[in-house]
Amino acid sequence: IGNVSFNSEAPIEQRLGALALPVGHYTVERRDEALAAARRATDELDRQMERLQAQMSEGWSRMGKASRDRSEKAMADLRARRNALAEWVGGMKHGSTGAWATVRDGFARSYDELAVALRKARSDFEQARRAKPAPKPADEQQADKTGR
């Protein structure tokens, strides 16, 4: 994106930051470049969200109810933030010349908020994954023993 290098092996924080920074500097005359940068940035966020969802699904059976509830809530929040980001991308594409700075800055702000929320969700999940699983309630333990 622009002259910012994107290294797919770099930590997520570096990749996400490298993707978002240039978009806020594009002028309306460079709308097409800004849109391409925005699409690459949102595609990377989508990949990270999909990866986190897959990791959560993989570890679902080892998570306690509270961890599962937090994970579901975090993913719902990420999806809502991603939808809001898509609205800003649409605004960048279809907005008037006079609204360009507002829409561009709205995209950058929304992107930053989603990236922070994604990092927090990933961190919370990693922390929960490292924690000892919560014991099963007695009725679930009994069901395991009886095969039901």
Side-chain angles (χ1 to χ4, degrees), residues 99-114:
W100 175 254
T102 301
V103 174
R104 177 199 61 204
D105 294 347
F107 169 84
R109 200 171 33 260
S110 184
Y111 179 93
D112 289 343
E113 291 169 1
L114 177 54

Side-chain angles (χ1 to χ4, degrees), residues 31-105:
R31 182 187 308 246
D32 290 341
E33 291 174 61
L35 279 166
R39 285 191 191 104
R40 286 191 296 272
T42 55
D43 287 349
E44 176 60 21
L45 283 173
D46 289 344
R47 281 189 291 276
Q48 293 300 322
M49 287 173 60
E50 288 169 9
R51 188 173 297 133
L52 179 59
Q53 181 65 64
Q55 289 172 335
M56 286 179 177
S57 296
E58 201 174 279
W60 196 253
S61 64
R62 295 183 301 275
M63 295 166 67
K65 179 172 177 11
S67 292
R68 287 192 299 258
D69 290 347
R70 281 191 305 273
S71 295
E72 284 179 336
K73 186 176 178 182
M75 287 307 299
D77 177 63
L78 290 173
R79 284 188 293 275
R81 289 175 186 272
R82 175 58 180 88
N83 289 341
L85 186 64
E87 293 289 329
W88 286 111
V89 172
M92 288 173 68
K93 184 175 182 179
H94 301 291
S96 70
T97 301
W100 175 254
T102 301
V103 174
R104 177 199 61 204
D105 294 347

Side-chain angles (χ1 to χ4, degrees), residues 17-29:
L19 288 167
L21 288 175
V23 173
H25 299 292
Y26 285 109
T27 61
V28 71
E29 292 80 22

Side-chain angles (χ1 to χ4, degrees), residues 135-147:
K136 289 183 178 180
D139 58 335
E140 285 184 34
Q141 291 178 7
Q142 185 62 31
D144 287 348
K145 290 179 185 176
T146 62

